[in-house]
Amino acid sequence: MFVLVVGAGRVGAALATSALGRGHTVSVLDEDPLSHERLDVELGSSWEEAGGRFTIGTALEIDALIEAGVEEADVFIASTNGDNTNLVVAQIAQRKFNVERVIARVLDPRRAAWYAEQGLQTICPTQIAIEQLQQAALGEVV
């Protein structure tokens, strides 16, 4: 399976190295060339030597997405630190490039729910934290 991860922060880097470790073909797109170092640290070796692919570019640019392999992707994960970027690039992957599985990390619970209702798979760490804190503090399952 070909996995394209947009954003090589803590979440993106961990997802990418996990997928690579499970034998998938993985490409990471990030605008910060230094984020590449996080992939090496997560792996404990060179990302490229382990078989990973890294592209420096802005995810909102179609050329960068193509260079990173969006046309080949079976899975597309948008995990930058910006909800707007994640939502836009996820929709591009889903609608323009017909990627089979597209997932966007969205920090705003209301926006995550709205986009999920529109057919975009979203993961909302904020909502997950709210639910876990309610459960831990109040014993309530939401």
Side-chain angles (χ1 to χ4, degrees), residues 2-136:
F2 185 95
V3 179
L4 173 54
V5 178
V6 176
R10 286 185 288 266
V11 172
L15 285 167
T17 55
S18 175
L20 192 65
R22 289 187 164 100
H24 300 294
T25 303
V26 182
S27 177
V28 175
L29 172 62
D30 197 288
E31 62 188 5
D32 181 5
L34 297 179
S35 67
H36 183 276
E37 294 173 8
R38 188 179 317 253
L39 295 166
D40 293 344
V41 169
E42 285 280 334
L43 269 180
S45 67
S46 166
W47 176 249
E48 282 78 11
E49 287 175 8
R53 183 165 147 187
F54 185 79
T55 305
I56 300 167
T58 303
L60 293 168
E61 295 177 359
I62 298 294
D63 290 343
L65 288 169
I66 291 171
E67 184 180 343
V70 70
E71 295 171 311
E72 310 158 49
D74 300 300
V75 177
F76 182 96
I77 301 167
S79 66
T80 73
N81 62 1
D83 284 0
N84 291 336
T85 299
N86 290 343
L87 290 165
V88 170
V89 299
Q91 290 178 88
I92 290 169
Q94 186 179 52
R95 295 178 181 167
K96 180 175 176 61
F97 293 102
N98 299 311
V99 177
E100 185 178 327
R101 185 178 304 157
V102 176
I103 306 145
R105 180 178 75 164
V106 183
L107 297 175
D108 180 334
R110 287 188 180 109
R111 291 178 78 195
W114 190 86
Y115 278 93
E117 290 171 6
Q118 308 313 307
L120 181 65
Q121 185 175 356
T122 61
I123 302 293
C124 182
T126 307
Q127 186 63 44
I128 293 167
I130 291 167
E131 291 168 7
Q132 289 181 347
L133 287 165
Q134 284 177 329
Q135 173 64 33

